[in-house]
Amino acid sequence: MASRIRSDVTRRALLAAMLVAGPFRAGAQAPPLTIFAAASLKPALDEIAAAWDGPVALSYGGSGTLARQVAAGAPADVVLLAAVDWMDWLAGQGVLDGTPVSVATNRLVMAGPPGGGPVPLEAAAILGRLGADGRIAMGEPMSVPAGRYAQDALEALGLWQALAQRMLYAEDVRAALAYVARGDVPFGLVYGSDIVGSGVSVAAEIPSEAHDPIAYPGAVVAGTAAGARDFLDHVVDARDVFARHGFAS
């Protein structure tokens, strides 16, 4: 009899513990959404993510590097890239859930030091400002869309052959901008949005017809956390934030 009483008491205690623990588990914070995003999106996306009602983990890098990581199984919930072709490649790998959507657009500029003044898009003028050892920072064209846009533009403008040996390749466009901001190089080929709040100046606007349109597609990764699509919709709706940071919709 005593053993049965002890057993009943134990069961009731366990049941009470489960009833107490259940609501606690239900109210526990969900794990953060993991967002892989092109480095040039950082200022705007940091602000957009801060306004999201939930935890978000942001990982920035070159679009090609991020795309390959997602295709290899990296735990991303949403991916935002700076090149349509890399997103198309990801879709071909069968790792996306649904059709990618357009998030923003951008333009390409040659960044220079504060107060450095404009420079004509002519080889002699640019080389004259570079001097004997100066270089132009740009993203690595094989993995950084800004670098590919930059190379395409310089080729279209007839400048690539004269300037190719003076390039300093960076891991992403924000790193290229940092070289200019620190005074390590006289010029950098970056996005117009990168200039906003950076302290550097626009030495030259790169004609948009000299390269493919600069578009930012976003997509949900297949088999990812609940809320990923809502977050992507939140990003798409943040046109005012993108505009404030120098992007276009």
Side-chain angles (χ1 to χ4, degrees), residues 98-109:
T99 303
V101 296
S102 177
V103 171
T105 63
N106 218 327
R107 73 188 201 281
L108 193 67
V109 302

Side-chain angles (χ1 to χ4, degrees), residues 73-216:
D77 297 305
V78 174
V79 59
L80 304 163
L81 302 180
V84 173
D85 56 355
W86 274 116
M87 189 65 81
D88 289 343
W89 178 81
L90 261 185
Q93 302 302 303
V95 298
L96 301 183
D97 181 4
T99 303
V101 296
S102 177
V103 171
T105 63
N106 218 327
R107 73 188 201 281
L108 193 67
V109 302
M110 180 176 286
V119 60
L121 288 175
E122 301 169 357
I126 296 171
L127 289 169
R129 291 275 290 272
L130 290 178
D133 302 316
R135 291 181 176 272
I136 302 172
M138 62 180 279
E140 164 55 55
M142 292 299 292
S143 60
V144 181
R148 188 173 71 253
Y149 294 130
Q151 181 174 342
D152 289 347
L154 293 179
E155 288 175 347
L157 295 170
L159 299 173
W160 181 251
Q161 186 172 356
L163 301 178
Q165 299 304 312
R166 307 298 294 274
M167 294 300 170
L168 174 63
Y169 295 121
E171 62 182 355
D172 57 52
V173 70
R174 298 294 291 182
L177 177 71
Y179 283 125
V180 182
R182 291 196 303 261
D184 296 334
V185 298
F187 298 122
L189 290 161
V190 301
Y191 294 127
S193 61
D194 295 319
I195 299 295
V196 177
S198 68
V200 305
S201 64
V202 176
E205 294 274 357
I206 306 301
S208 60
E209 61 269 20
H211 56 79
D212 289 337
I214 301 171
Y216 291 79

